Amino acid sequence: MGPEDHDEAAQTVVVHDDDTRVSSSPTPAAERSLPEMVGAMVGRYRVTGLLGQGAMGIVLQGEDESLGRAVAIKLIHERVELESRGRQRLEREARTLAALSHPNVVHVYEIGSHRGRLFVAMERVGGRSLRAWLREQARPWSERLALLCAAGDGLAAAHRAGIVHRDFKPDNVLVDDDGRPRVLDFGLAVPAGSHDTGAVELAPAGLPVGMVDSGTLTATGTIMGTPAYMAPEQYQGAAPDARSDQFSFCVTLFEALWGHRPFRGDDFDALREAILAGRIDDDRPPRELPRAVVAAVRRGLSPQPQARFESMAALLSSLRAAARPRRRGAIAAAAAVLVGGITVAAWRPWRAP
């Protein structure tokens, strides 16, 4: 895990059965700086700093001194421990990640307890979020597509293990210093086919999209997600599946290739309406994008799950195939020029006598 980059218009909304709780400062004041924890031990890991914080827990930078490797430690908040299912959810997140072994998924090392509070020790990835990677410099569309497809491989691996992420977005992908992306934060993940959604109503009328908490994980009796990246069926309270992740992936890919999100709205209701209607804002696709890439992304953004690709693997295969024709065309053109040159060179000496 690495430092988080926050985008207010793409943050997570939490809505409880009995009320709506929106917070811009979810972390208790006593845990904001945590200077007393630096140098302390959490399990067998020595704390060396603070990486990030959210409504469910804090993420500490640590070191496994016995193995000499850096780790990230997610430590759950005490107040979340008071919830009847808070501990179960963190354990589920740890099991979700520990069950995966893929180069494009953050690896979990251990789950334990620190002074009665659960923690998860995981791979410490140096680098930045996908959102920061996209902003730091202009990159060719082919490079952006290739990196997203690599992240998609991690998501597809989760699906093969029977896991639905349910909150895929640029902030939940880390890009290391070698350019390798890793999917993280499976805190909203559920087993495929699970109906762990809670309330159907997501937010009161007119709730501004930015007035939500970016770090919140699933809480008892809620529907969770990040509005700008949520699939229509998540808005409708249906059980999420791999096709819901596919939709979120295509929102992220659209944003990476087009430079803006596919669905727009000044407030929560307007955004939800645009997503449910499938009203994509792409009147002018980037000229450099192959039509087949545009078509594949649009299909992944279909409001009806059955109209999307049958799997993440099928989507990724289609995207990679769509990115190849231009190179084949360029090679064919170069070959034609070369053959033409050889033909002319061979014909001229023969005709001269």
Side-chain angles (χ1 to χ4, degrees), residues 162-322:
I163 298 162
V164 179
H165 190 286
R166 206 167 65 167
D167 194 31
F168 186 90
K169 57 185 177 182
D171 304 291
N172 282 342
V173 177
L174 292 178
V175 183
D176 69 16
D177 296 332
D178 294 325
R180 174 157 60 106
R182 292 173 177 81
V183 183
L184 75 152
D185 208 345
F186 281 73
L188 296 181
V190 294
S194 170
H195 194 91
D196 183 14
T197 55
V200 174
E201 186 65 27
L202 280 174
L207 175 67
V209 175
M211 290 182 60
V212 286
D213 163 26
S214 63
T216 307
L217 301 179
T218 311
T220 302
T222 67
I223 292 181
M224 290 296 303
T226 305
Y229 301 90
M230 281 169 54
E233 57 269 26
Q234 290 177 274
Y235 280 93
Q236 296 168 334
D241 60 16
R243 292 171 300 181
S244 307
D245 282 351
Q246 182 184 146
F247 183 94
S248 301
F249 174 85
C250 284
V251 173
T252 301
L253 180 58
F254 186 105
E255 184 175 358
L257 296 178
W258 272 253
H260 63 83
R261 298 190 192 98
F263 305 102
R264 301 198 181 193
D266 293 333
D267 58 30
F268 186 90
D269 288 341
L271 175 64
R272 176 172 55 184
E273 181 182 348
I275 290 176
L276 292 176
R279 196 163 55 246
I280 302 174
D281 183 12
D282 67 340
D283 291 339
R284 296 181 180 179
R287 293 182 179 180
E288 68 272 16
L289 285 183
R291 293 181 181 178
V293 170
V294 174
V297 176
R298 286 175 175 169
R299 180 177 171 184
L301 292 173
S302 299
Q304 296 80 25
Q306 62 272 19
R308 301 169 202 154
F309 290 87
E310 59 271 23
S311 66
M312 272 298 303
L315 167 62
L316 296 172
S317 177
S318 179
L319 287 169
R320 283 168 169 146

Side-chain angles (χ1 to χ4, degrees), residues 97-178:
L97 289 173
L100 296 177
S101 179
H102 193 276
N104 298 117
V105 175
V106 170
H107 184 62
V108 162
Y109 299 134
E110 180 186 0
I111 180 171
S113 180
H114 173 70
R115 296 181 180 177
R117 297 170 61 184
L118 285 172
F119 73 85
V120 178
M122 64 192 79
E123 177 184 13
R124 169 76 167 96
V125 180
R128 62 286 202 205
S129 71
L130 172 61
R131 191 179 303 282
W133 182 85
L134 290 169
R135 288 173 175 172
E136 68 185 12
Q137 67 181 65
R139 303 177 190 274
W141 69 266
S142 56
E143 183 180 354
R144 286 172 276 156
L145 177 62
L147 187 131
L148 260 296
C149 284
D153 287 335
L155 199 55
H159 294 165
R160 288 193 296 272
I163 298 162
V164 179
H165 190 286
R166 206 167 65 167
D167 194 31
F168 186 90
K169 57 185 177 182
D171 304 291
N172 282 342
V173 177
L174 292 178
V175 183
D176 69 16
D177 296 332
D178 294 325

Side-chain angles (χ1 to χ4, degrees), residues 27-40:
T27 306
E31 292 189 345
R32 289 175 186 166
S33 60
L34 300 172
E36 71 282 359
M37 290 201 68
V38 175

